[in-house]
């Protein structure tokens, strides 16, 4: 698969509202396409293209949260995330840590408590630390500050 093909597939997969009404067959088709992309292009290339899309196309709070939901829907949270705090920080940065306003369904919590423990960050494992709150995580906060400082 060429870089162009991967990028086009990422645009297709993430360029839609996460909560749109889909038939079971449409939903199944999207899940199949997301899985086939990873299978054909490989996870590192797919993840890189997805993150590029996130940073280039998802510059509003709503679009960043939309991406987070679709990332979850495609099951990509189960894959190894090389930079989990940076990924999560991007979402918090875009919503300016206004969780109540932009993330009422709690997708960012779900991503954090799944991705971080898988990456070896036991402080985010709710079985070990029931008080973990991603928006208070110093590593996420530090990464979000770096993103904000690069905006200037």
């Amino acid at each position: 698969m060429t870089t162009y093909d991967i990028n086009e597939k990422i645009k297709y997969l993430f360029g839609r509202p996460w909560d749109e009404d889909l038939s079971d067959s449409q939903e199944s088709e999207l899940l199949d396409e997301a899985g086939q992309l990873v299978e054909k292009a490989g996870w590192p290339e797919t993840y890189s293209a997805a993150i590029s899309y996130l940073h280039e196309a998802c510059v509003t709070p709503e679009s960043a949260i939309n991406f987070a939901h679709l990332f979850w829907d495609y099951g990509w949270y189960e894959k190894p995330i090389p930079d989990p705090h940076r990924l999560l920080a991007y979402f918090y940065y875009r919503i300016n840590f206004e969780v109540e306003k932009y993330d009422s369904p709690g997708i960012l919590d779900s991503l954090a408590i799944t991705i971080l423990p898988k990456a070896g960050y036991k402080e985010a494992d709710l079985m070990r630390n029931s008080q973990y709150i991603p928006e208070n995580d110093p590593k996420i906060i530090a990464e979000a500050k770096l993103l904000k400082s690069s905006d200037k």
Side-chain angles (χ1 to χ4, degrees):
M1 258 188 135
T2 68
T3 301
Y4 175 80
D5 293 335
I6 297 168
N7 289 337
E8 288 302 304
K9 188 63 75 174
I10 291 292
K11 284 181 196 175
Y12 170 72
L13 291 170
F14 287 94
R16 64 178 194 83
W18 71 273
D19 59 352
E20 73 180 324
D21 287 331
L22 298 174
S23 68
D24 289 344
S25 64
Q26 289 171 316
E27 191 171 322
S28 180
E29 181 182 316
L30 282 166
L31 293 174
D32 287 347
E33 289 194 43
Q36 288 172 13
L37 175 60
V38 172
E39 188 177 303
K40 290 178 184 175
W43 176 241
E45 291 79 8
T46 301
Y47 181 74
S48 178
I51 295 308
S52 291
Y53 178 86
L54 174 64
H55 286 261
E56 293 166 13
C58 303
V59 296
T60 65
E62 297 82 6
S63 62
I65 291 295
N66 189 70
F67 181 99
H69 278 281
L70 291 169
F71 193 86
W72 180 271
D73 288 349
Y74 298 138
W76 290 0
Y77 63 90
E78 295 177 356
K79 304 287 184 194
I81 308 296
D83 51 359
H85 291 96
R86 189 173 315 136
L87 171 64
L88 294 164
Y90 187 82
F91 301 124
Y92 286 103
Y93 155 69
R94 281 296 173 204
I95 67 168
N96 198 29
F97 287 85
E98 294 181 52
V99 178
E100 291 81 24
K101 182 175 181 180
Y102 294 107
D103 188 28
S104 60
I107 190 62
L108 298 183
D109 281 347
S110 297
L111 284 170
I113 63 172
T114 305
I115 290 172
L116 292 173
K118 269 183 90 76
Y121 297 98
K122 302 203 182 325
E123 66 273 11
D125 183 342
L126 292 182
M127 299 301 279
R128 295 173 182 241
N129 179 9
S130 62
Q131 303 302 308
Y132 179 77
I133 300 171
E135 58 266 31
N136 294 338
D137 186 318
K139 293 174 184 165
I140 292 174
I141 293 168
E143 288 287 344
K145 284 181 180 176
L146 285 173
L147 288 164
K148 188 171 186 131
S149 71
S150 68
D151 261 359
K152 297 176 181 174

